Amino acid sequence: LIQLSVPLNFIGFVYREIRQGLTDIEQMFDLLDVKAEVVDKPDAKPLAIAQGAIRFENVHFAYDPERPILKGISFEVPAGKTVAIVGPSGAGKSTISRLLYRFYDIQQGAITIDGQDVRDITQTSLRSVIGMVPQDTVLFNDTIAYNIRYGRISASEDEVLKAAEIAQIGTFIRSLPDGFKTMVGERGLKLSGGEKQRVAIARTILKAPPILILDEATSALDTTTEQEIQSALDLVSQNRTTLVIAHRLSTVINADEIIVLRHGEIAERGTHAALLEQNGLYASMWNRQREATQAEEHLRQVRESD
Ligand code: ADP
Ligand code: MG
């Protein structure tokens, strides 16, 4: 018994670590055949998806009872709309995406999709309607084609190519000696953060889920890469219910609603224009980021003129 408990604890540890990272959940559940802590109700039904409207109603959540993380969060992402969540790091933004995926159960309130509580439906059906483009994509040790097709295994070769084009990674892939057959992952060609993210976007395009969660990269991607990724993301999120966790405010200007989260509470909410007008937390974050971008731009010009 003692001998057995060590590896089991270890697996639990690895599982929690990986889950914490929320790198690529869909993939992770396949890679690690581990039971989640959250279990389906005996009478859980598959989600009857209509338009994919998301609703958080007075959601309270804590990983550890001593330390509340979300303190009564309410918002809606109407079907087909885009809602952005911004705010300082540690505010609870990624936690919201983990709860929508039902990695954890909340302590109070409700999270519903098309009126169905996520606790009443099967996890498989819940996760099948959500596509996630994480901050940090872990690729399989396999070909690029496989890594894209993973979004929908039954996809044709043509569909894989098209998805890659839309995700703006097609040209790059075709420039490789082995093209779509190039081995990637830990033991293959190492892709940059931006390239991996575009593979994840291509995968999500193939999956074509009604609901999208985008956790944008924090890492300073160069401006061109960022713009390419942004236009790919804009395409994927068209007419899909989309929850964007944004680090760069410039990427959420067009969101239908922006929610500013601070210490697990909604500090401000509204459109970009309305929030700037309020001249509060969002406006100060916006000004700070704009100054940083201008400083970066200035530095680049100085370097180029050398
Ligand atoms: P954000 O995405 O806004 O930066 P997170 O939602 O990742 O913030 O985290 C919110 C808070 O919850 C942070 O203080 C973080 O340390 C804490 N937290 C995240 N995951 C866990 C966990 N598994 N156990 C305990 N605390 C956690
Ligand atoms: Mg986060």
Side-chain angles (χ1 to χ4, degrees), residues 20 63 67 69 88-95 98 104:
Q20 189 51 36
Y63 294 97
R67 202 172 148 242
I69 301 292
S89 115
K93 303 183 297 295
S94 296
T95 300
R98 291 179 201 131
Y104 304 90

Side-chain angles (χ1 to χ4, degrees), residues 70-92:
L70 297 181
K71 306 163 190 167
I73 298 292
S74 300
F75 67 89
E76 272 177 63
V77 193
K81 302 285 185 193
T82 296
V83 168
I85 300 178
V86 303
S89 115

Side-chain angles (χ1 to χ4, degrees), residues 142-148 157 160-161 164 169-184 189 191 199:
D142 208 307
T143 63
I144 293 196
Y146 178 85
N147 273 280
I148 295 175
E157 199 146 310
V160 171
L161 298 188
I169 184 106
T171 311
F172 165 78
I173 297 175
R174 278 183 272 102
S175 77
L176 300 170
D178 292 329
F180 279 82
K181 295 203 173 86
T182 304
M183 295 297 288
V184 292
L189 179 71
L191 301 185
V199 169

